Amino acid sequence: MSCPIGVFDSGYGGLTILKDIVKEMPEYDYIYLGDNARTPYGTRSFDVVYKYTREAVLKLFGMGCKLVILACNTASAKALRTIQQVDLPRIDPQRRVLGVIRPSVEAVADFTKNGHIGILATSGTVASESYLLEIAKIHSEKGFLVTQQACPMWVPIVENNEMNSPGAVFFVQKYIDMILQVDPQIDTLVLACTHYPLLRSVIDLFIPKEITIIQQGEIVARSLRDYLYRHPEMERELSRGGQIEFLTTEKDGMFDKMAALFMQADVTSRHVEL
Ligand code: DGL
């Protein structure tokens, strides 16, 4: 039976992660699942994000995935721990669900010179304080100063393909100005939502050149390769057909058009119910 790697996001944003994972490891099979019908997750409560994410993970398990990547910061912040600690031991201890926050947090130390770090994320990720907690845990001795800024309008702008509109410029500038006012010394800024790379050309207009912007795709892809190297028992299970299947909880035609933009390739998806 085929054993693809499952990649899940609340909508299109996870495609920015999938693209880099596939570039790094084209040999495996993948299933991408976007919960476009219920996006955005970023403004929803812990319980709702957990419920939706759990449903998506179970769907991907049911389709043969033994390894699922939550290519969504909000789901990683609000659902990952409970899924790992409560659900997996009950469902199947051999399966794995990994998130995007840990690899991103590990990477910040490679970029910052002055220890002033900015996190741009959804309201949900900011409220969870996952980045603050993980940075404090992993880099405890380094004394990093971390400033968070919620950017609640950015995901709807991306999901509605308004990335090149005047509204996008307004809201991108607004949140960047806000975070740089709080800490003008920030030298490393994490785009801690998988949708945000799609706003990168607008973001670049307002970020001073000396600030390093961290996008998660390459970081997550490298971290996954490293994980599979360290876990040959999982790597052996994965099927190697180089196929990608796209699933969406919305109308498939709508998904295909937008996803093709993000993947820079033709996409044919299938509608699923969770
Ligand atoms: N792309 C997701 C993230 O990385 C969530 C966007 C949303 O659904 O609000 O946080």
Side-chain angles (χ1 to χ4, degrees):
M1 186 183 165
S2 111
C3 179
I5 297 174
V7 178
F8 167 70
D9 181 48
S10 61
Y12 298 112
L15 294 168
T16 62
I17 303 283
L18 176 72
K19 199 164 158 233
D20 282 324
I21 293 179
V22 173
K23 199 163 138 203
E24 179 87 20
M25 293 167 285
E27 63 272 33
Y28 300 118
D29 294 319
Y30 297 91
I31 300 182
Y32 182 85
L33 170 57
D35 191 7
N36 302 77
R38 302 190 292 195
T39 200
Y41 281 15
T43 43
R44 296 187 192 276
S45 67
F46 177 94
D47 289 351
V48 171
V49 173
Y50 166 60
K51 178 177 177 290
Y52 288 179
T53 305
R54 187 177 184 278
E55 286 169 3
V57 166
L58 289 177
K59 182 68 161 189
L60 289 165
F61 282 174
M63 300 186 73
C65 300
K66 294 195 170 150
L67 174 63
V68 172
I69 311 299
L70 301 185
C72 173
N73 288 269
T74 310
S76 300
K78 291 188 161 183
L80 180 62
R81 186 175 299 241
T82 315
I83 289 175
Q84 285 175 334
Q85 294 179 355
V86 178
D87 294 306
L88 283 184
R90 278 198 229 136
I91 299 166
D92 181 352
Q94 307 305 322
R95 300 197 192 223
R96 288 289 172 271
V97 179
L98 306 174
V100 290
I101 295 179
R102 178 83 191 221
S104 312
V105 164
E106 282 169 357
V108 289
D110 300 337
F111 296 96
T112 184
K113 292 195 175 68
N114 67 5
H116 289 250
I117 293 158
I119 305 291
L120 298 171
T122 65
S123 311
T125 299
V126 166
S128 76
E129 301 197 338
S130 297
Y131 275 88
L132 301 183
L133 298 168
E134 284 287 318
I135 289 174
K137 193 162 81 192
I138 297 177
H139 304 297
S140 56
E141 77 294 355
K142 299 204 176 84
F144 289 159
L145 184 70
V146 187
T147 305
Q148 304 193 96
Q149 175 63 49
C151 312
M153 291 304 290
W154 289 10
V155 170
I157 286 170
V158 171
E159 287 287 320
N160 290 291
N161 197 9
E162 292 285 347
M163 285 91 80
N164 298 312
S165 68
V169 174
F170 176 84
F171 282 110
V172 166
Q173 180 171 21
K174 176 177 173 167
Y175 301 134
I176 289 175
D177 283 354
M178 283 165 80
I179 194 168
L180 293 179
Q181 257 162 35
V182 177
D183 183 1
Q185 291 193 65
I186 285 171
D187 77 346
T188 303
L189 205 45
V190 184
L191 301 186
C193 171
T194 55
H195 283 64
Y196 296 175
L198 294 151
L199 286 165
R200 183 63 194 261
S201 57
V202 189
I203 291 172
D204 282 346
L205 298 175
F206 301 104
I207 304 275
K209 293 280 167 289
E210 27 331 326
I211 296 181
T212 304
I213 300 175
I214 300 188
Q215 282 191 197
Q216 298 176 301
E218 280 178 24
I219 290 166
V220 172
R222 276 201 301 273
S223 153
L224 179 59
R225 177 178 279 298
D226 180 56
Y227 173 85
L228 292 174
Y229 181 73
R230 287 183 287 108
H231 294 274
E233 76 291 353
M234 176 60 80
E235 202 278 336
R236 275 195 298 273
E237 297 277 339
L238 301 174
S239 54
R240 295 165 164 262
Q243 300 294 314
I244 312 176
E245 188 177 359
F246 294 91
L247 307 175
T248 176
T249 54
E250 246 298 348
K251 278 208 151 104
D252 41 16
M254 218 159 104
F255 181 90
D256 296 353
K257 245 193 253 159
M258 279 290 279
L261 280 179
F262 298 179
M263 292 299 288
Q264 281 148 11
D266 283 345
V267 169
T268 307
S269 65
R270 189 159 61 79
H271 172 84
V272 286
E273 298 284 336
L274 296 183

